[in-house]
Amino acid sequence: MTTPTVTVRPPPWRNVRVLSWVFQLVVFAVVAVVFLWLYGNYEENVARTGIPTNFDFLDNPTSFEIPGNDFSQTQPVRDVLVEGFLNTLRVSVVGIVLATILGTLIGIGRLSRNWVVRRISTVYVEVVRNVPLLIILTFIFLGVVLQALPTIQEAWTPGGVAVLSNRGIGVPWYEGGSGFQLLLLAVIGLVGWWAIARWRRGVSGRTGEPSRAGLYGGGFFLAVTIGGWFAFGFGVTTPVVAGRQIAGGMRIDPSYFALLVALVVYTASHIAEIVRGSIQAVPRGQEEAARALALSPSQRMWNVVLPQAMRIAIPPLGNQYLNLIKNSSLGAGFAYFELTNVTRVTVGNGSPAVPAFTLALAIYVGLSLLTSVLVNIANRRFILVER
Amino acid sequence: MTDSEELVFADATQVADAVIELEHVDKFFGSFQALKDINLKIGLQEVVVVIGPSGSGKSTMIRCINRLEEHDAGRIAVDGIELTEDIRNIQEVRRETGMVFQQFNLFPHLSVIDNVTLAPRQVRRVPKAEAERHAMELLARVRIPEQAKKYPGQLSGGQQQRVAIARSLAMRPKVMLFDEPTSALDPEMIGEVLDVMKDLARAGMTMIVVTHEMGFAREVADRVVFMAEGEIVEVGTPEHFFTNPQEERTKLFLSQIL
Amino acid sequence: MTTSAAPRPAAVWVKRNLFRSPFDAVLTVVFGLLAVYVTFQLVRFVFVTARWEIIGTNLKLLMVGNWTMIHLPRIAIAMIILAVWGGSIGGLIHARQVRRGTSTLAEMSLPTRTGDLVRRFGILIATVLLLLLLTTTPGPWLMAAGAVVGAVLGRVIGGVLGRLHYPRPVAVPGALVFAAIPIAMYFYLIDAVPLAEWEGFLFNIFAAMAGIILCFPLGVLLALGRRSKMKLLRLMSTAYIEIVRGSPLFVLLLLANVSLEFFVPSSIAPSKPVRAIVTFTLFTAAYLAEIVRGGLQSIPRGQVEAARSLGLSPVTQLSRIVLPQALRNVIPAQIGQFISLFKDTTLAGLGLGILDMLAVSEAITQQPDFRGQGLIIETLAFTAFLFWVGSFTMSRESQRLERKLGVGTR
């Protein structure tokens, strides 16, 4: 009565599943052929020019020095690459923090009720965003740092606590202990802040009195850091001009300074747009509902608008951070020894080009993937908290 | 009487003319079974209306008929052509079936007449002049010939759906499948679309309509199929169905909506 | 007790926007003074202290590098022809909009339309005038005049052509010829001066255009591959996109500089501009792929289902239904990518030693007449200004387009 469910297999050239596989294989074959051709050329040219293509060069001595560093010429290339990588991190991390602060301020400024603040923020964003970063960097390095800043003999010393010259910038710094101890204090302070804030919020939830979590937590943080400062015997050193050097304090390399300022100024303009866009993307109805509930402007911003705006802003912000890290590679043109510059110089000194640059690329891609993962975690964390 | 006896009764008179056959059809989405042992035969010029609560598998069933979804077990055949992995079969079945969607799915970047003539020209290789002539006939039939040069964005929902019907008819299908055609329309436009569908039924088109419009079912359907939880619960003529339902689930559903 | 007359609108505005609260007042004063100071310094620099002769003397170098003098007219001719071509595209688009009822200009009168154009492109026009004023020969004036006349002519021609309907045998070859005009111009210029000598601002513009046009096929293929249900394809596309997007363009340029010749047979020695453009193309393709992927995702699934149920083949589905809609939906993002690429072309100077406009602006400060005078500020400011004008104008047009697309047909 019912026909059997055994069906006749269609011939392979009409079978949808077979065709799908064949298509994939064809594409793969085409790509493989292209790759093989490229690789074949590569091998042939390498054999012809006699340049090695493995990673042995990592063990060779670098035969160059990084100024401002106690790097020795005899250390292997591997070490100098690590140093370059650390320099990339140094400028990127500080840059990200500063750019976020500046960018957020400008972004909020674009939405200010104050006409002057609004205009200035808009002009800043519209001007900086549309100029190529390299021009900004060149301008700051060649125009400002090398020209506008005075020579070391005539260095500016604002307030007696800093030194500004074209050989470097000196700022006050700590002394008398290790940076690690300071870090430890900061971590203890932050953990304590978080714990105390939670406790205060619990109290507030039970009794209804304001939690003042920020006050209590912040107070604890300050107490720990300042107390620890004195307990460990930390002091402050201020920079002074000593001959042709800067003694004391911390010396900021002019290249580092120029790169940092350029990255911060440029990236802040993009971050400002993201901040502005995400605040505006929070539906109007949210602000209106909050107003109807008689919340004050700061309560509205803190409890309703900002949390939602942050959620929207996280992915594009992560993207900008990534851009900043990648843009740090421009330091290579301005004597800052970050990863790209270091790679370029070792290649100039005899390391094989393709493996060296491929390694550098791999490190950047790795950083990029890491940042993406962190952004994803932050994204998901926020969504969970909201629900 | 149980549903299987009903089906046999219906089948016995029409098995020779069966345009659509579903036999022991199962469909899974992951571990969730959307269709459980579906058996249904639809004869030439029959109008079958499928009703049921949401999630009952009605849409899944008709989407399996034109291979928008792939069934996991059983046999589906349209006009004798069985739906398998054979690409030639699939293409033929798609030529023989026309589908009208809940969201109309007109191509917004093409004019109305281009929407209607695209498939005949590309698939059946009909020359442009003839395709346009046929298209104008169809647009007249769905009562909007004057909109031919307009774009979907310039039409109301009801007009768009009627264009969608004309677009499917342009391929001269044997069967027309309707997936909740009026569910996305404002109430005042439902009537004009249903009128077109009634015309189609009276003209002898074989139709399967998934809908909530009971009035339509009562007026035009030859058979009504009630589905719930992936199974066909009850099948019957409209008179039988609405006045004397047999199964408990059917009675419950009808009491909720009528 | 009656109140005094209502305060004048100006006073109200000042109070509300500048002095609403004490904190506001402080902000206004502080930033206001800062703004005035900066503006004053800027104006003084531009009009008084700066020495712009370096720009005037080197204008040709900055714009076209070491382009052979006798072949300069070719650039003028190519510009005029491209102006006609660009104008006619504008006309064709306008005619299509009129046909579909989406035009916002058609209802406006001619004076309003001109006013609208001036507002949109005013800065660009002013910049061109500024450049013309800096030149010493009549040539650039003729070129500019020719370009303006050509653009208007092209617009009229395009408008007329767009209104008519063409049978297939005429339309397809016609479209191909039309698309070939820029390519013809390229060969016209290459014939006179080899690519390795395309320098200055000309290089930046050309490299950006070549990059965005050439990257399209690869970008679309990558986007389709990444969305494909076939695992192998998806893996390969995703790998390419993620690796390229994670790499700094500068490093890719350095890599291309030293290693591109390793990957091609030793008989071909790619010139520097070729290396730059190949790198730009491969780089931008990854970003374009993500943009196109966004466009593909923005199409309701029902579109593909309708196309499938009508029996259209996968190729037809893609070419007639999916891609036209996907690409149109993300036009603003594509323009944004072009602007990005335009700004990134400045890296070619640093990375490959090509004499792009930025490199020229640094080099001319070393000329005997000008060295040691700190004129780098003037040259950088000029270069920055030109890039800014281009980028800002395109960015504004893109925003305008975005608003229009959002309101227009579904």
Side-chain angles (χ1 to χ4, degrees), chain A residues 2-3 5 7 9-10 14-17 19, chain B residues 23-24 70 74-75 82 85-88 90:
Chain A
T2 48
T3 45
T5 41
T7 52
R9 274 258 117 105
R14 287 191 339 231
N15 189 323
V16 194
R17 270 181 254 279
L19 287 175
Chain B
E23 290 168 13
H24 300 293
E70 213 179 291
R75 178 178 174 275
E82 190 178 331
E85 301 154 343
D86 192 335
I87 200 170
R88 207 170 60 177
I90 296 175

Side-chain angles (χ1 to χ4, degrees), chain A residues 32-88:
Chain A
V33 161
V34 169
F35 260 102
L36 283 175
W37 179 73
L38 288 175
Y39 190 67
N41 287 327
Y42 180 69
E43 286 287 298
E44 179 196 315
N45 285 315
V46 158
R48 195 169 50 85
T49 54
I51 300 179
T53 60
N54 47 27
F55 285 99
D56 293 344
F57 71 96
L58 286 175
D59 296 321
N60 297 345
T62 25
S63 48
F64 73 93
E65 281 184 346
I66 299 181
N69 209 305
D70 23 58
F71 204 82
S72 129
Q73 287 194 15
T74 53
Q75 283 178 268
V77 169
R78 174 196 315 273
D79 285 3
V80 83
L81 285 181
V82 169
E83 191 62 33
F85 175 68
L86 288 177
N87 278 336
T88 297

Side-chain angles (χ1 to χ4, degrees), chain C residues 164-300:
Chain C
L164 311 169
H165 235 70
Y166 305 97
R168 219 102 195 283
V170 172
V172 173
L176 284 175
V177 165
F178 195 76
I181 290 179
I183 303 178
M185 286 303 101
Y186 166 74
F187 281 109
Y188 175 61
L189 291 174
I190 274 280
D191 181 53
V193 175
L195 196 59
E197 292 169 32
W198 289 37
E199 299 158 342
F201 201 43
L202 173 71
F203 171 80
N204 295 98
I205 296 181
F206 175 72
M209 290 209 203
I212 200 82
I213 293 175
L214 293 173
C215 85
F216 245 88
L218 181 58
V220 171
L221 285 175
L222 284 169
L224 292 171
R226 190 163 185 177
R227 288 197 7 128
S228 161
K229 285 192 270 285
M230 308 180 203
K231 296 214 172 109
L232 197 56
L233 215 50
R234 202 165 56 209
L235 188 66
M236 291 196 295
S237 310
T238 310
Y240 181 95
I241 293 173
E242 290 305 322
I243 290 178
V244 171
R245 273 164 56 103
S247 315
L249 178 57
F250 187 53
V251 179
L252 288 176
L253 283 171
L254 291 177
L255 181 60
N257 195 24
V258 294
S259 65
L260 201 65
E261 55 248 31
F262 278 101
F263 289 100
V264 291
S266 41
S267 47
I268 310 176
S271 68
K272 287 198 186 168
V274 167
R275 287 183 229 178
I277 294 176
V278 165
T279 313
F280 288 142
T281 304
L282 293 175
F283 181 75
T284 314
Y287 287 81
L288 190 74
E290 286 297 276
I291 293 174
V292 171
R293 188 167 77 109
L296 291 170
Q297 279 173 332
S298 72
I299 298 178

Side-chain angles (χ1 to χ4, degrees), chain A residues 179-381:
Chain A
F180 185 69
Q181 288 167 322
L182 271 186
L183 195 65
L184 195 66
L185 284 176
V187 167
I188 295 177
L190 284 174
V191 169
W193 183 334
W194 174 78
I196 288 184
R198 259 174 69 121
W199 165 65
R200 284 300 305 174
R201 276 198 276 269
V203 167
S204 164
R206 281 194 302 275
T207 61
E209 60 181 56
S211 69
R212 301 249 187 270
L215 208 63
Y216 282 72
F220 177 80
F221 178 77
L222 282 175
V224 163
T225 43
I226 294 180
W229 176 280
F230 288 109
F232 276 114
F234 276 95
V236 177
T237 79
T238 42
V240 290
V241 178
R244 295 186 58 106
Q245 311 273 11
I246 298 176
M250 174 157 92
R251 180 182 167 278
I252 302 177
D253 187 49
S255 312
Y256 177 84
F257 181 71
L259 183 61
L260 184 67
V261 170
L263 285 175
V264 169
V265 164
Y266 183 76
T267 313
S269 71
H270 289 271
I271 291 182
E273 279 300 274
I274 291 172
V275 168
R276 177 182 75 97
S278 54
I279 291 182
Q280 285 182 322
V282 177
R284 262 284 193 86
Q286 296 290 308
E287 164 82 16
E288 292 174 354
R291 250 192 292 180
L293 287 169
L295 292 173
S296 76
S298 55
Q299 284 171 329
R300 293 202 296 266
M301 182 56 88
W302 190 246
N303 289 294
V304 177
V305 178
L306 268 187
Q308 297 188 58
M310 285 228 279
R311 230 196 322 159
I312 298 174
I314 287 180
L317 267 185
N319 205 22
Q320 282 309 313
Y321 294 161
L322 204 61
N323 281 344
L324 191 146
I325 296 176
K326 289 189 286 181
N327 285 334
S328 71
S329 61
L330 292 181
F334 300 93
Y336 181 63
F337 284 92
E338 45 69 59
L339 182 60
T340 310
N341 203 4
V342 159
T343 311
R344 199 170 59 110
V345 176
T346 59
V347 168
N349 276 355
S351 298
V354 174
F357 278 115
T358 311
L359 183 60
L361 270 182
I363 296 176
Y364 278 110
V365 172
L367 269 179
S368 149
L369 289 175
L370 181 67
T371 314
S372 295
V373 165
L374 289 174
V375 167
N376 273 338
I377 293 178
N379 223 0
R380 246 176 291 149
R381 176 93 225 289

Side-chain angles (χ1 to χ4, degrees), chain A residues 73-153:
Chain A
Q73 287 194 15
T74 53
Q75 283 178 268
V77 169
R78 174 196 315 273
D79 285 3
V80 83
L81 285 181
V82 169
E83 191 62 33
F85 175 68
L86 288 177
N87 278 336
T88 297
L89 285 184
R90 277 186 196 116
V91 77
S92 300
V93 170
V94 178
I96 286 176
V97 170
L98 293 179
T100 309
I101 297 173
L102 181 61
T104 309
L105 287 174
I106 297 175
I108 295 180
R110 281 202 74 169
L111 296 171
S112 164
R113 291 173 315 195
N114 187 311
W115 182 86
V116 171
V117 171
R118 222 174 36 230
R119 283 278 139 225
I120 292 187
S121 310
T122 308
V123 166
Y124 179 95
V125 171
E126 288 303 330
V127 168
V128 175
R129 219 163 46 123
N130 289 303
V131 176
L133 172 59
L134 188 54
I135 297 185
I136 297 178
L137 179 52
T138 312
F139 181 77
I140 292 182
F141 189 72
L142 292 180
V144 176
V145 172
L146 289 188
Q147 275 188 210
L149 289 184
T151 57
I152 190 77
Q153 290 94 336

